[in-house]
Amino acid sequence: MSDLQQEMEAFFAEYTKRWNKQEDFSTILEMWDPDDVPYYRAMERLGVFTTWEELKRYVDPGPKRKLIVALWYGFVNIRPKLVAPDVAVVFFDAEWDIKGMRGPAASGTDPGVAVLKRKADGWKMNTYVEACTHPATYKSVFADKEDKVRPAFRKLLADLEAKKAAAEQS
């Protein structure tokens, strides 16, 4: 195992530990590069957090405690690539389990990518992107958005439905 692989696995093991504290998610911010603008794309949210204020609000335990009974995160299949002497791009799979105040618990594994910089005090994250592949997340993210598709897509759907109806009548 390469030194970079070991360093990234250690980084994500600590990141996992901090996410899984339950009572205080905010300690993960200590693993971010305070000298850089954060970029964080959560799978369940539209848009990207690009300010410290947005990121702090997202990881703040107060609002999450009102909606989430429990959240568990884990990172597997960690695949780092050094793209500059002190910059690594890391692909991974994020395993997660969540139980909200309502409904059943959900579980999934989604791919992600992060960018980390080597600093004097170790690796620090500056970019994190989750790529949603779980149907429950799609539903929560895209609920009530179906009517807002592009006109060309709406026409495509209508054409396909008409073609299917014509074929069924033949």
Side-chain angles (χ1 to χ4, degrees):
M1 182 182 305
S2 72
D3 288 346
L4 180 62
Q5 182 70 38
Q6 290 175 345
E7 292 170 12
M8 292 302 111
E9 288 190 15
F11 178 91
F12 281 97
E14 179 63 22
Y15 202 73
T16 296
K17 181 178 157 187
R18 292 175 185 227
W19 260 121
N20 294 336
K21 281 179 123 177
Q22 301 303 315
E23 65 275 353
D24 186 5
F25 301 117
S26 66
T27 63
I28 68 161
L29 294 175
E30 297 165 3
M31 299 186 72
W32 281 71
D33 184 353
D35 301 322
D36 207 346
V37 174
Y39 279 76
Y40 192 104
R41 174 60 168 93
M43 67 179 139
E44 75 279 7
R45 300 283 181 99
L46 296 175
V48 179
F49 304 133
T50 58
T51 68
W52 284 108
E53 181 180 311
E54 290 172 319
L55 187 55
K56 286 176 185 174
R57 199 168 41 244
Y58 178 70
V59 300
D60 176 71
K64 288 189 181 312
R65 287 292 99 199
K66 294 176 187 170
L67 302 173
I68 297 173
V69 173
L71 171 67
W72 179 88
Y73 250 94
F75 295 89
V76 297
N77 302 321
I78 297 166
R79 297 171 304 278
K81 178 180 181 178
L82 207 57
V83 295
D86 293 322
V87 178
V89 172
V90 184
F91 288 87
F92 56 83
D93 290 320
E95 295 180 330
W96 55 270
D97 295 281
I98 190 168
K99 173 64 176 102
M101 296 300 279
R102 296 189 181 114
S107 181
T109 301
D110 294 299
V113 63
V115 177
L116 288 83
K117 283 185 183 178
R118 188 186 336 252
K119 308 289 277 193
D121 58 342
W123 288 97
K124 299 289 184 181
M125 194 177 302
N126 65 19
T127 301
Y128 179 92
V129 178
E130 296 171 332
C132 167
T133 60
H134 190 274
T137 306
Y138 281 126
K139 185 177 179 181
S140 67
V141 171
F142 298 107
D144 302 324
K145 301 288 190 276
E146 202 167 30
D147 293 336
K148 297 176 183 172
V149 296
R150 292 174 182 87
F153 186 74
R154 194 173 292 117
K155 182 180 180 329
L156 172 65
L157 288 175
D159 291 349
L160 290 172
E161 288 174 9
K163 186 176 181 179
K164 183 179 175 183
E168 289 173 354
Q169 290 179 353
S170 299

